[in-house]
Amino acid sequence: MNEENTGCLEGTIEEIIYADRESGYSVCVIDCMGEPVTVVGTMPSLVIGETIRVNGKWSVHPSFGRQFKADFVEHRLPDTKESILRYLSSKAVRGIGPTLAGRIVDMFEEQSLDIIEHHPAWLADVKGISPSKAQEIHQSYMQQAGMRSAITEFGQFFGLPTAVRIFKRYGPACVETVKQNPYRLCEDLVGIRFDKTDAYAKHVGFSLSAPERIRAGILYVLMDSAYQGGHCKLPTDSLIAKCARELEIDDRDAKAVALSMEKTGELIVTEDAEHRYDAVPMLDSAERYVAEKAVAISESRLLFKIGGVEERIKGLENEFGIQYDDEQKQAILTASTHGLTILTGGPGTGKTTIVRALLAIFRDLKMSCALAAPTGRAAKRMSEACGKEAKTIHRLLEAAPGEQDVLVFKRDEETPLKYDVVIIDEMSMVDILLMESLLRAIRLGTRVVLIGDIDQLPPVGPGSCLSAMLRSKRFFSIRLKTIHRQAEESLIVTNAHRINRGEMPVLSKTDSDFFFLKEPDAEQTRQALLALCTTRLPNYYRADPSKDIQVICITRKGPLGTVELNPELQRVLNPPSEGKREKKSGTRVFRERDKVMQVRNNYDLTWDRDGEEGEGIFNGDIGTILFINMQGEYLRIDFDGRICDYDFSLLEDLEHAYAITTHKSQGSEYRIVVIPSFPAPYPLMTRNLLYTAVTRAKEAVCMVGDPNVVARMTKNDRIPVRYSSLPDLLSF
């Protein structure tokens, strides 16, 4: 038996201690050259008596001792009378118990499994087996065989959990189905990477110029550009060139397949004065729907007429003891009386004040009102500011996992939201697909108020809905510009507006809520940042370093990016200690009390919040690891009150969140924000990125590093082009 930390074992399964049918996670004992060995990992469809070969590594469990963690498992069916008897007697095959197992093996001996697979009708010659029961036994066995084949065939390329998903999607014939066209995996199963699929396809004989490969490559380039660059379409020439470059094929081959896809409707062609474009149908139809439905809501004749708003505004001034300025009065009047209103403005311009006034007016009119925002943190902040529950847009639309890992919304055109008013905050974060789903659930006659800061970063996903709708001038919109007296006292607010105007922020003050620490190089900047987070800021503001302080970085990479800073911050803020459990995953160590972030949507994860159950943990959600269960191999994480058990197999979806990028901070607000000011790739050193980072702070901003970086970012008003049809669709 291999005694190295990593290696390969082979043995017969003696005992199955635990097996989760859904995830495939199992714990078993195998006989490895006469010695019992505990093996753990994702190993679906284990059966006592079969032989398995596992690759993995040794570990020592604090409670259960030495065990072998399987990364890959290969099933080998028993081939002797004794092992076949034990296998069938274990009830692995539905319809066969110990008695029938003995009769089958007595009759067919070493050929028993071959008979079950290829000649099931012969089983009817065995006492106690009817023709129908023989077919039932055959079908059960083929299910088992299909799962084993999927694990053996796909496990080494995609990992065991994905191999299980492939089997569940295509059934017992999954290997033959996928071999015919491996690239279908990219479309049929959410989250399967093109590069892994491409490696498998090459393994089974697909050439670089195979049409199936080029077709999948074109779709991959389009969807990758959607989620990496925000594009809803690409110029055809750019698409062909990028596809040819990434697939290492001739431009002519890529162009021929693209033309074929255009003819079959797999690509949608649009043109303007400058370019010819290609788009995937999903994004093209989303843009067309958003344009049509948004205009219909804005111009709906079903809108309930509201009068006397001016008098109501005066009454609210008396009730709340405030004086609305002309901008605010106009915003309240417009949002009360029109179908769709866009409200935009920077910090301190009174957006929340207007929402409170609208809620009071709608309450007095007995009109039902829903508040929502794209993220849980944004919804929570909206609830606290407005005194009324706000939901995430996903929760408002009653999101649930559908078939083939596709998210579905229970609220749509057939079962729309039954509110008189829908108010959405942080609209700058809403991409075209979420906007489509939202508008599908809104009835004509409903008042819609969209609130956002147009100067913040655009959505992480495709499109830029808020910007396109404002530029179109098809909708009633108010841009708040006046900074109100209380906000004027904040240097955070003042500097944010200076940055937005392209003016250098004030960095010289040390007695305000915005200050700058100048450091000469990366190492001293890092040391100053660590001191700020561990002692200086917590002591001065009486702040919890993990809950109240958030480091926001320009970039992931580099000496002051999130990748480098997170281990350092974890070391000083949550060091290892006796009794504090931890789990290593690759180069990272997750530890109890760690601050972590979910980095991709997972619609299947279930959570509990004070007895309320729900589904879905989403990209950007931040939580704290409450404890790590080494025996059950899961983490329990608190995502802002939503308690979720998180299987070890999903750790690649988690990152530490002591330091996060500006993009990940969108929609959130923190007591204290620390921003390392250090050179990054030029496309990231933009005014709107700096502005977004600064406006995440509620109580204090501390920048540390090189002031020249601040100057360069403030001057750089470059906004990357996002190819989209929405502006043109709204111009008609």
Side-chain angles (χ1 to χ4, degrees):
M1 184 168 57
N2 195 339
E3 293 294 334
E4 299 295 329
N5 185 49
T6 60
C8 177
L9 299 179
E10 183 174 322
T12 303
I13 297 176
E14 298 288 324
E15 180 183 3
I16 298 173
I17 299 172
Y18 174 81
D20 187 308
R21 294 184 63 183
E22 283 298 313
S23 68
Y25 178 80
S26 303
V27 180
C28 70
V29 177
I30 66 172
D31 179 352
C32 186
M33 293 187 292
E35 181 179 343
V37 176
T38 300
V39 182
V40 303
T42 303
M43 302 179 291
S45 302
L46 294 183
V47 178
I48 291 175
E50 71 172 333
T51 299
I52 59 173
R53 181 183 177 88
V54 289
N55 294 330
K57 58 187 176 182
W58 291 99
S59 63
V60 179
H61 192 281
S63 300
F64 301 99
R66 193 164 180 269
Q67 56 189 23
F68 193 79
K69 176 66 183 293
D71 296 322
F72 174 73
V73 59
E74 179 183 353
H75 294 254
R76 297 185 176 183
L77 287 175
D79 54 7
T80 66
K81 286 181 60 176
E82 293 75 14
S83 61
I84 292 172
L85 177 60
R86 190 173 183 196
Y87 169 74
L88 294 177
S89 297
S90 69
K91 299 183 179 179
V93 180
R94 189 172 58 251
I96 299 179
T99 301
L100 277 184
R103 293 174 183 169
I104 293 171
V105 174
D106 284 344
M107 181 172 290
F108 299 113
E109 300 183 335
E110 288 86 355
Q111 303 302 312
S112 296
L113 298 183
D114 182 70
I115 298 301
I116 293 173
E117 180 175 356
H118 297 106
H119 307 287
W122 296 6
L123 294 173
D125 294 337
V126 176
K127 182 181 179 182
I129 300 181
S130 64
S132 61
K133 189 175 183 66
Q135 284 302 314
E136 177 187 338
I137 291 170
H138 169 72
Q139 291 171 4
S140 174
Y141 180 82
M142 295 307 295
Q143 282 285 114
Q144 294 281 348
M147 177 70 84
R148 287 190 294 271
S149 297
I151 292 169
T152 301
E153 182 72 16
F154 306 124
Q156 60 184 314
F157 289 94
F158 302 100
L160 294 178
T162 299
V164 174
R165 289 178 61 207
I166 293 172
F167 171 77
K168 290 181 177 179
R169 173 66 176 86
Y170 302 114
C174 60
V175 173
E176 292 76 12
T177 300
V178 173
K179 277 186 174 181
Q180 291 176 9
N181 179 12
Y183 296 101
R184 67 184 298 172
L185 292 172
C186 296
E187 294 180 69
D188 293 349
L189 292 173
V190 174
I192 291 190
R193 287 165 38 184
F194 176 81
D195 58 344
K196 290 187 175 182
T197 304
D198 201 32
Y200 175 75
K202 291 175 183 176
H203 170 72
V204 296
F206 276 73
S207 68
L208 291 180
S209 59
E212 297 92 341
R213 179 175 186 261
I214 299 174
R215 176 186 174 278
I218 288 171
L219 295 176
Y220 160 73
V221 168
L222 283 169
M223 294 310 297
D224 184 65
S225 70
Y227 286 97
Q228 298 300 322
H231 303 298
C232 292
K233 60 184 182 180
L234 284 180
T236 302
D237 290 345
S238 299
L239 171 63
I240 297 303
K242 187 173 183 181
C243 183
R245 183 172 61 253
E246 296 204 8
L247 298 187
E248 299 178 337
I249 58 174
D250 191 275
D251 284 17
R252 290 171 294 182
D253 291 334
K255 191 171 184 178
V257 174
L259 182 62
S260 173
M261 294 173 70
E262 291 171 359
K263 290 179 179 179
T264 60
E266 294 174 283
L267 294 179
I268 305 299
V269 178
T270 57
E271 295 185 70
D272 61 21
E274 296 181 5
H275 295 290
R276 180 183 188 275
Y277 301 90
D278 280 300
V280 295
M282 174 180 67
L283 292 176
D284 180 77
S285 64
E287 292 204 289
R288 294 179 186 279
Y289 184 88
V290 167
E292 181 180 343
K293 185 66 176 285
V295 171
I297 291 172
S298 180
E299 299 176 354
S300 175
R301 297 183 179 181
L302 300 174
L303 203 65
F304 173 70
K305 304 297 182 183
I306 297 176
V309 176
E310 292 88 345
E311 290 74 19
R312 292 178 187 275
I313 292 174
K314 292 178 182 177
L316 291 176
E317 289 179 325
N318 294 329
E319 180 182 343
F320 296 150
I322 60 175
Q323 182 71 41
Y324 299 116
D325 63 26
D326 290 342
E327 282 181 348
Q328 292 174 319
K329 289 178 182 178
Q330 184 60 47
I332 296 168
L333 177 63
T334 301
S336 300
T337 55
H338 293 91
L340 192 152
T341 303
I342 300 174
L343 179 64
T344 185
T349 55
K351 296 189 295 293
T352 300
T353 299
I354 292 169
V355 174
R356 288 192 190 119
L358 291 172
L359 290 174
I361 291 172
F362 296 138
R363 178 198 63 210
D364 292 344
L365 293 170
K366 295 182 169 50
M367 296 173 67
S368 58
C369 185
L371 303 182
T375 67
R377 285 180 172 252
K380 183 179 180 181
R381 193 176 78 246
M382 192 181 189
S383 299
E384 294 168 348
C386 299
K388 176 181 171 61
E389 182 191 16
K391 301 178 179 179
T392 63
I393 297 175
H394 285 79
R395 188 173 168 216
L396 178 69
L397 302 182
E398 300 179 28
E403 294 182 2
Q404 313 310 331
D405 305 305
V406 176
L407 183 71
V408 296
F409 295 105
K410 295 180 182 178
R411 295 295 176 179
D412 54 20
E413 290 171 314
E414 299 298 321
T415 54
L417 296 167
K418 297 181 179 179
Y419 294 101
D420 301 309
V421 184
V422 174
I423 301 176
I424 308 295
D425 197 9
E426 295 288 355
M427 268 299 301
S428 63
M429 297 180 65
V430 177
D431 65 29
I432 193 67
L433 294 174
L434 185 56
M435 187 64 171
E436 178 195 19
S437 297
L438 175 65
L439 294 184
R440 284 190 183 279
I442 294 177
R443 301 174 297 182
L444 295 182
T446 300
R447 280 174 173 76
V448 177
V449 183
L450 305 178
I451 305 167
D453 188 342
I454 194 62
D455 297 310
Q456 288 187 24
L457 291 170
V460 174
S464 194
C465 301
L466 183 64
S467 176
M469 292 174 72
L470 277 170
R471 291 202 310 270
S472 74
K473 302 188 184 302
R474 291 290 299 269
F475 309 97
F476 294 95
S477 62
I478 302 292
R479 179 159 188 160
L480 303 173
K481 299 176 182 177
T482 303
I483 304 174
H484 293 276
R485 187 177 62 187
Q486 186 176 358
E488 280 183 328
E489 299 173 0
S490 167
L491 192 56
I492 295 175
V493 173
T494 302
N495 273 345
H497 285 274
R498 289 179 67 87
I499 291 167
N500 205 25
R501 295 193 298 267
E503 301 172 9
M504 186 67 179
V506 176
L507 305 181
S508 57
K509 287 193 175 183
T510 58
D511 59 349
S512 184
D513 58 1
F514 190 116
F515 57 96
F516 192 98
L517 296 181
K518 184 178 179 180
E519 297 293 345
D521 55 38
E523 180 56 32
Q524 292 190 55
T525 298
R526 183 188 296 108
Q527 294 306 319
L529 183 144
L530 295 176
L532 283 166
C533 293
T534 54
T535 55
R536 296 180 63 178
L537 292 173
N539 291 343
Y540 186 82
Y541 288 98
R542 295 184 179 179
D544 182 317
S546 292
K547 293 182 180 179
D548 299 329
I549 300 173
Q550 183 61 61
V551 177
I552 298 180
C553 301
I554 299 172
T555 180
R556 284 179 53 83
K557 298 180 180 179
L560 288 164
T562 59
V563 174
E564 292 289 335
L565 284 179
N566 266 312
E568 290 290 300
L569 287 164
Q570 181 196 36
R571 177 179 60 81
V572 296
L573 295 177
N574 189 31
S577 63
E578 187 176 351
K580 191 187 293 182
R581 289 174 290 253
E582 57 184 45
K583 166 63 179 175
K584 186 174 183 181
S585 176
T587 59
R588 301 169 301 169
V589 175
F590 291 102
R591 189 172 295 135
E592 291 176 338
R593 301 180 206 162
D594 265 345
K595 185 178 183 180
V596 293
M597 173 183 282
Q598 174 79 5
V599 295
R600 58 179 56 85
N601 293 336
N602 187 321
Y603 308 117
D604 295 326
L605 281 172
T606 59
W607 49 261
D608 180 278
R609 177 169 49 200
D610 297 327
E612 174 197 3
E613 293 185 351
E615 293 178 321
I617 300 295
F618 302 109
N619 186 5
D621 285 351
I622 291 179
T624 303
I625 298 176
L626 298 179
F627 70 83
I628 299 175
N629 188 313
M630 299 303 293
Q631 178 182 354
E633 297 213 340
Y634 68 88
L635 291 70
R636 180 158 293 171
I637 304 177
D638 180 354
F639 289 100
D640 277 333
R642 294 171 297 156
I643 309 301
C644 177
D645 287 344
Y646 205 99
D647 190 86
F648 282 178
S649 65
L650 300 175
L651 289 181
E652 64 180 14
D653 294 349
L654 279 183
E655 290 182 357
H656 290 97
Y658 298 103
I660 62 176
T661 62
T662 307
H663 287 85
K664 294 292 187 182
S665 75
Q666 279 183 274
S668 298
E669 186 178 67
Y670 312 94
R671 270 191 69 192
I672 304 163
V673 166
V674 179
I675 306 172
S677 180
F678 194 77
Y682 180 75
L684 294 174
M685 294 182 63
T686 60
R687 181 185 301 170
N688 63 350
L689 190 142
L690 178 60
Y691 172 80
T692 301
V694 167
T695 54
R696 298 308 89 206
K698 182 178 182 181
E699 194 170 325
V701 168
C702 176
M703 297 193 71
V704 55
D706 183 357
N708 292 320
V709 171
V710 179
R712 289 199 294 271
M713 294 182 75
T714 301
K715 291 177 183 177
N716 182 11
D717 62 351
R718 173 184 176 272
I719 298 176
V721 172
R722 288 193 167 202
Y723 294 112
S724 166
S725 296
L726 188 58
D728 291 337
L729 293 168
L730 289 172
S731 66
F732 294 103

